[in-house]
Amino acid sequence: MVTSAAELPWGSVLAPGRGLVYDVLGRVAPDLGRQLHEHGMGSHGMVPVGHGAPVFPKARRARGKYAAGGAGVVEFGSPVPEVVHALGEGLARRELLDWGGVALRVTGVEVVSPPSCASGRVRLRTATPVVMKGSGQDENGDRVTRQAWLLPSEPEWAEYFQNNLVRKAETLGLDPGVELESVTWIGAKRSFRVGGGAKPGAPVEAELSGPPETLRALWSWGLGQANAAGFGWVQS
């Protein structure tokens, strides 16, 4: 893709992606899009779709701005083949993507396969913040907030992250024997506004172990919560 815009508004770095996904699915595979939007998949009702932010490697950087300009790429993904096929077909039909009021001209669509993960161990680094919501309880076990966003350095984070991995595997009918072995890098905290409010988190590099098929699915879906909103997108 290419754009003549010099920057993306911070409020539009991630927010347009979810609506674009459902718009594409609504045109190419309306029944599938409706199912995901209204019910999700499996007993947990999760939506196995993720995306990243548009990236423009040669754009001129400016302090405090999300730089755009020239050639770039925006990635979408899913561990469900039907979703991948529909997104690929729908995006290939478009000449322009409206990304929060910024016009991105589509110059090509490429399908990227996940790594083999044959060793049963992989390091995944995210390009966007991983968001996790904890219990919201204080030291006495009383719930004090519903907006208990966790950072990777906080005590509950690893537990809730692990539970999310298992729920994703169960949603897809895959072996849930996946484990968070370690967090090998934590990036800077950042919040992005999507939907009704901002979600804070931090990009991470996590070492996971488990069945190769499950690890490949996580690579295609993303890490943590709110992947359909662009959070936890894994670098390809």
Side-chain angles (χ1 to χ4, degrees), residues 157-222:
W157 189 90
E159 175 187 353
Y160 279 81
F161 183 90
Q162 172 66 43
N163 290 342
N164 181 264
L165 297 176
V166 172
R167 286 160 62 90
K168 284 175 173 170
E170 292 174 345
T171 293
L172 298 169
L174 300 177
D175 187 335
V178 58
E179 298 283 345
L180 170 64
E181 298 293 342
S182 63
V183 176
T184 53
W185 172 79
I186 301 174
K189 177 185 176 181
R190 184 169 299 277
S191 297
F192 286 104
R193 183 168 295 278
V194 294
K199 291 178 168 50
V204 304
E205 182 181 79
E207 185 168 351
L208 309 179
S209 64
E213 187 177 8
T214 304
L215 296 177
R216 289 195 296 271
L218 293 168
W219 180 92
S220 301
W221 187 341

Side-chain angles (χ1 to χ4, degrees), residues 36-196:
L36 292 179
H37 185 264
E38 296 178 0
H39 306 290
M41 283 185 62
S43 59
H44 301 300
M46 302 181 82
V47 179
V49 175
H51 69 84
V55 177
F56 303 91
K58 296 184 179 180
R60 179 172 295 181
R61 308 300 167 188
R63 185 176 180 83
K65 297 182 178 181
Y66 190 93
V73 63
V74 59
E75 296 180 324
F76 299 86
S78 173
V80 179
E82 294 83 358
V83 175
V84 173
H85 177 77
L87 287 175
E89 181 181 344
L91 292 169
R93 292 179 183 178
R94 300 200 173 193
E95 295 183 1
L96 289 175
L97 302 181
D98 179 355
W99 198 271
V102 175
L104 307 179
R105 184 163 63 84
V106 179
T107 56
V109 175
E110 178 184 358
V111 177
V112 180
S113 298
S116 69
C117 305
S119 67
R121 204 174 187 98
V122 68
R123 283 190 180 186
L124 303 180
R125 179 176 288 218
T126 66
T128 59
V130 172
V131 296
M132 295 299 307
K133 186 179 284 189
S135 67
Q137 296 177 346
D138 62 16
E139 62 274 10
N140 298 317
D142 297 321
R143 189 168 189 179
V144 295
T145 179
R146 292 182 178 274
Q147 299 299 318
W149 299 108
L150 300 171
L151 293 176
S153 57
E154 295 181 291
E156 286 186 330
W157 189 90
E159 175 187 353
Y160 279 81
F161 183 90
Q162 172 66 43
N163 290 342
N164 181 264
L165 297 176
V166 172
R167 286 160 62 90
K168 284 175 173 170
E170 292 174 345
T171 293
L172 298 169
L174 300 177
D175 187 335
V178 58
E179 298 283 345
L180 170 64
E181 298 293 342
S182 63
V183 176
T184 53
W185 172 79
I186 301 174
K189 177 185 176 181
R190 184 169 299 277
S191 297
F192 286 104
R193 183 168 295 278
V194 294

Side-chain angles (χ1 to χ4, degrees), residues 7-49:
E7 66 178 289
L8 295 181
W10 282 106
S12 298
V13 172
L14 292 179
R18 183 175 183 271
L20 179 58
V21 166
Y22 283 122
D23 183 63
V24 170
L25 292 179
R27 296 168 187 267
V28 177
D31 291 342
L32 177 59
R34 190 177 307 110
Q35 169 67 32
L36 292 179
H37 185 264
E38 296 178 0
H39 306 290
M41 283 185 62
S43 59
H44 301 300
M46 302 181 82
V47 179
V49 175

